[in-house]
């Protein structure tokens, strides 16, 4: 297998699908050497099969807004790979959603889910619906209209969606309500991220952020460092950033910045519990403005418009917002600002130039598919609880999550340790995830 040849074919076939091509290129580059040591993979054309989704559903979603006007969006579900379990992955509601974006996310999800050690295949879905400025009633009507089509593609042993950007507990509630009505199935295991009183796992909302910090702790320990007292810059203020802030504070780190599409809030003395709680209010308002934090806490947070979290002096950077949010220039600025570690929490949050810069300038770096896998891992734990009709305590879920994140870190070290003793976490995560999926595909024959 030659990455160059496969990429040339995909570029010709899917011109303009830049996010998808970027994600495939990153994985293929890092697995090429190992892949070529396995002629059985080459014979079964594993890579050629793995880069194509199993199937893509696309549908029209029509709903009525509060003014009585008819609105039409496009919905998607991309079932990417089922080699190690039923399709599993989130739904993203964002104005920029395209098939390319969801293909990249579904592809990444396949390897991420493999890393969790739980039996879950990869999928992703969503819509170009923009939740910004929408009322609760509009969100509900959209979710119901979306499920009117989606329900036929999913099932607790078939495909299990969850949240992602723009889809949280409220949206999962509306989606599940409509699913029940249409399918006449009362199995809560069809969606994860549900409310805690009706099948949701305790700690699922916190899980992505908590897992990211457990991974970061592991990475720092491996490098002989400690997170206590470190200054942490975080982008975003949604669910993932909220969980990351909560755990960072608990572990004794100081969160000195959070950001939004409007700019950055610098918090010189570190974020407080009260401010973290306020992030939930900001998210529920659908205003999508981080400036609201500085308005609410003027003596603690200083807002600067059109600046990123990476402009603030820090030790550790945690991108928690959107793909490609951290450019090579941002990486250089971070280094100048004293940053020595970046753990990518958003999916593909760093541009290739930024990753290259980190890796060649002594900055510890780990990719999203390893760092943020705690979210989907806890979804897997939610599925287990649903299947057994039981509910575990927060302590039990947290212990299992912690164990899984330690295991993911170990897999990265196993497959990513370089001759000089350093760990290439990109390589480690990609090879570990890939080997598991490739082996399963091989054992299941040419399908
Ligand atoms: N959207 C999350 C992710 O990117 C969670 C998916 C899930 O829980 O199924 O992994």
């Amino acid at each position: 297998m030659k990455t160059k040849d496969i990429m040339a074919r995909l570029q010709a076939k899917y011109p303009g699908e830049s996010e998808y091509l970027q994600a495939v290129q990153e994985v293929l580059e890092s697995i090429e050497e190992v892949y070529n040591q396995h002629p059985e993979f080459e014979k079964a054309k594993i890579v050629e099969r793995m880069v194509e989704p199993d199937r893509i559903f696309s549908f029209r979603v029509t709903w009525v807004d509060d003014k009585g006007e008819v609105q039409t969006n496009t919905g998607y579900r991309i079932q990417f790979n089922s080699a190690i379990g039923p399709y599993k992955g989130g739904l993203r509601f964002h104005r920029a959603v395209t098939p390319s974006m969801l293909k990249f996310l579904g592809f990444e999800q396949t390897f991420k889910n493999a890393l969790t050690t739980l039996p879950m295949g990869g999928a992703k879905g969503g819509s170009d619906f923009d939740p910004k400025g929408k009322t609760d009633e509009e969100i509900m009507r959209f979710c119901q209209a979306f499920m009117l089509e989606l329900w036929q593609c999913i099932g607790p042993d078939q495909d299990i969606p969850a949240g992602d950007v723009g889809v949280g507990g409220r949206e999962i509630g509306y989606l599940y309500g409509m699913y029940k009505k249409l399918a006449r199935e009362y199995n809560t295991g069809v969606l994860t991220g549900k409310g805690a009183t009706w099948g949701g796992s305790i700690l699922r909302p916190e899980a992505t952020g908590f897992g990211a910090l457990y991974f970061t702790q592991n990475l720092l320990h491996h490098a002989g460092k400690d997170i206590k007292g470190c200054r942490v810059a975080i982008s975003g203020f949604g669910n993932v950033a909220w969980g990351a802030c909560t755990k960072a504070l608990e572990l004794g780190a100081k969160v000195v910045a959070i950001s939004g599409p409007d700019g950055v809030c610098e918090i010189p003395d570190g974020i407080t519990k009260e401010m973290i709680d306020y992030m939930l209010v900001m998210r529920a308002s659908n205003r999508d403005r981080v400036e609201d934090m500085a308005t609410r806490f003027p003596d603690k947070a200083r807002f600067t418009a059109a600046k990123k979290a990476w402009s603030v002096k820090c030790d550790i950077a945690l991108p928690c917002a959107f793909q490609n949010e951290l450019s090579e220039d941002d990486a250089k600025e971070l280094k100048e600002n004293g940053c020595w570690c970046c753990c990518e929490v958003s999916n593909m949050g760093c541009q290739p130039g930024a990753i290259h810069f980190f890796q060649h300038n002594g900055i510890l770096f780990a990719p999203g598919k390893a760092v943020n896998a705690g979210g989907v891992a806890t979804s897997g734990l939610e599925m287990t609880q649903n299947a057994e009709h039981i509910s575990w305590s927060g302590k039990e879920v947290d212990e299992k999550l912690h164990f899984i994140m330690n295991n993911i870190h170990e897999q990265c070290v196993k497959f990513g340790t370089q001759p000089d003793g350093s760990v290439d976490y990109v390589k480690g995560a990609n090879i570990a995830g890939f080997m598991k999926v490739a082996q399963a595909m091989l054992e299941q024959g040419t399908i």
Side-chain angles (χ1 to χ4, degrees):
M1 178 276 272
K2 279 211 175 66
T3 300
K4 219 165 53 83
D5 298 345
I6 294 186
M7 288 314 299
R9 273 207 300 278
L10 289 177
Q11 265 146 9
K13 193 169 169 190
Y14 302 114
E17 295 199 358
S18 58
E19 298 103 333
Y20 163 69
L21 295 168
Q22 181 186 335
V24 173
Q25 168 120 19
E26 185 210 281
V27 170
L28 296 195
E29 268 173 3
S30 50
I31 60 143
E32 184 169 335
E33 202 186 318
V34 172
Y35 187 88
N36 288 335
Q37 291 160 6
H38 290 267
E40 69 280 17
F41 289 165
E42 182 74 17
K43 184 161 174 277
K45 294 276 186 285
I46 294 290
V47 153
E48 286 82 346
R49 289 157 56 191
M50 203 185 256
V51 298
E52 295 280 352
D54 286 358
R55 62 192 69 82
I56 301 182
F57 298 102
S58 158
F59 42 89
R60 175 174 54 77
V61 184
T62 294
W63 56 287
V64 180
D65 69 16
D66 283 353
K67 292 192 220 89
E69 268 175 42
V70 175
Q71 301 286 346
T72 293
N73 291 99
T74 309
Y76 307 93
R77 185 68 181 167
I78 301 194
Q79 297 181 335
F80 218 102
N81 189 297
S82 64
I84 62 170
Y87 301 104
K88 180 81 194 91
L91 297 171
R92 178 173 289 195
F93 292 170
H94 189 279
R95 63 184 183 285
V97 161
T98 58
S100 164
M101 192 193 289
L102 299 179
K103 273 170 74 181
F104 119 63
L105 289 162
F107 182 72
E108 289 279 298
Q109 196 82 43
T110 302
F111 303 106
K112 183 199 309 194
N113 293 2
L115 286 173
T116 65
T117 68
L118 304 175
M120 300 182 289
K124 205 83 187 190
S127 173
D128 57 358
F129 170 76
D130 184 3
K132 190 173 169 180
K134 300 290 187 298
T135 64
D136 191 40
E137 289 72 22
E138 288 176 323
I139 300 273
M140 180 173 75
R141 284 197 294 276
F142 177 78
C143 287
Q144 291 176 337
F146 183 81
M147 188 51 88
L148 217 43
E149 285 285 335
L150 183 72
W151 76 278
Q152 303 191 64
C153 319
I154 61 175
D157 296 313
Q158 192 182 349
D159 183 352
I160 305 96
D164 195 78
V165 175
V167 178
R170 169 181 60 173
E171 290 76 12
I172 293 294
Y174 295 147
L175 289 164
Y176 181 67
M178 196 61 173
Y179 174 83
K180 260 192 338 189
K181 207 155 175 69
L182 293 163
R184 299 204 181 179
E185 288 269 357
Y186 305 94
N187 189 333
T188 51
V190 68
L191 289 163
T192 59
K194 299 178 290 292
T197 55
W198 48 279
S201 176
I202 296 179
L203 232 66
R204 176 62 189 89
E206 292 87 345
T208 309
F210 279 24
L213 265 295
Y214 292 150
F215 189 93
T216 306
Q217 237 185 343
N218 269 301
L219 175 140
L220 296 186
H221 284 166
H222 194 80
K225 294 178 188 292
D226 191 0
I227 197 165
K228 241 194 178 81
C230 286
R231 295 162 305 169
V232 181
I234 289 182
S235 62
F237 61 90
N239 170 262
V240 175
W242 166 77
C245 286
T246 307
K247 192 48 89 176
L249 193 68
E250 202 184 302
L251 297 178
K254 193 157 126 183
V255 178
V256 291
I258 57 168
S259 67
D262 52 334
V264 63
C265 267
E266 200 177 330
I267 313 163
D269 295 330
I271 205 161
T272 61
K273 171 83 177 57
E274 210 189 347
M275 294 167 89
I276 295 173
D277 289 345
Y278 193 65
M279 287 167 84
L280 296 175
V281 178
M282 284 160 55
R283 152 109 169 86
S285 76
N286 280 348
R287 279 163 56 84
D288 211 10
R289 287 169 51 148
V290 80
E291 187 179 3
D292 294 356
M293 182 63 85
T295 310
R296 171 72 183 74
F297 298 95
D299 51 336
K300 292 200 175 84
R302 198 169 51 237
F303 174 73
T304 311
K307 280 272 184 197
K308 295 186 181 180
W310 324 130
S311 60
V312 175
K313 285 197 185 329
C314 66
D315 300 296
I316 300 169
L318 300 179
C320 290
F322 215 58
Q323 73 264 6
N324 289 326
E325 57 172 306
L326 201 155
S327 67
E328 187 173 343
D329 285 345
D330 295 329
K332 289 179 181 159
E333 190 174 12
L334 274 168
K335 187 171 164 59
E336 276 162 27
N337 280 332
C339 174
W340 46 265
C341 171
C342 173
C343 284
E344 186 184 61
V345 193
S346 42
N347 291 309
M348 209 166 77
C350 297
Q351 294 179 16
I355 299 177
H356 188 265
F357 181 83
F358 288 143
Q359 291 181 327
H360 290 86
N361 285 276
I363 295 179
L364 295 165
F365 175 77
K369 65 170 75 65
V371 180
N372 74 28
V376 72
T378 308
S379 277
L381 300 178
E382 183 170 327
M383 287 161 65
T384 305
Q385 293 169 77
N386 294 157
E388 292 185 10
H389 302 283
I390 53 163
S391 174
W392 294 328
S393 67
K395 187 166 170 283
E396 273 175 290
V397 178
D398 194 37
E399 275 168 14
K400 288 183 168 61
L401 168 64
H402 210 146
F403 179 80
I404 290 170
M405 295 316 296
N406 293 350
N407 188 300
I408 295 174
H409 183 263
E410 272 168 34
Q411 293 180 67
C412 291
V413 171
K414 177 172 169 204
F415 289 99
T417 299
Q418 301 302 291
D420 67 359
S422 67
V423 181
D424 181 335
Y425 284 87
V426 175
K427 233 180 176 168
N430 284 335
I431 295 175
F434 169 82
M435 288 303 279
K436 194 168 167 190
V437 179
Q439 197 58 40
M441 287 175 72
L442 199 64
E443 287 168 17
Q444 290 169 28
T446 310
I447 48 164

